């Protein structure tokens, strides 16, 4: 407790186990920050994470990802 560290990770399972707070970056911009479960549950961020474009239909899903 009381320690801060930076982890750059794309495996959401690892992020959920390690982080109390997440910053979601896309192309160098902060798009969201806060509770890891809330960030992972955000449909717009999931579209970006899986290679979609904001507002585009989700055509691809990763069956092994923890999202």
């Amino acid at each position: 407790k009381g320690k801060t560290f930076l982890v750059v990770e794309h495996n959401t399972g690892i992020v959920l186990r390690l982080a109390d707070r997440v910053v979601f970056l896309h192309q160098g911009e902060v798009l969201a920050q806060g509770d890891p479960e809330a960030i992972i549950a955000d449909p717009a961020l999931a579209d970006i994470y899986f290679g979609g474009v904001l507002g585009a239909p989700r055509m691809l899903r990763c069956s092994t990802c923890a999202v």
Side-chain angles (χ1 to χ4, degrees):
K1 193 116 183 149
K3 304 283 184 199
T4 301
F5 60 97
L6 171 67
V7 176
V8 178
E9 181 58 66
H10 292 96
N11 181 316
T12 56
I14 291 173
V15 171
L16 286 170
R17 285 192 300 275
L18 290 177
D20 295 325
R21 184 171 178 268
V22 170
V23 177
F24 187 104
L25 298 169
H26 180 62
Q27 296 182 344
E29 292 186 40
V30 174
L31 296 187
Q33 53 187 312
D35 179 67
E37 288 86 5
I39 300 298
I40 290 169
D42 186 310
L45 299 178
D47 279 342
I48 293 168
Y49 180 82
F50 289 109
V53 177
L54 276 174
R58 288 188 209 142
M59 302 174 79
L60 209 18
R61 282 290 167 251
C62 174
S63 62
T64 61
C65 297
V67 176

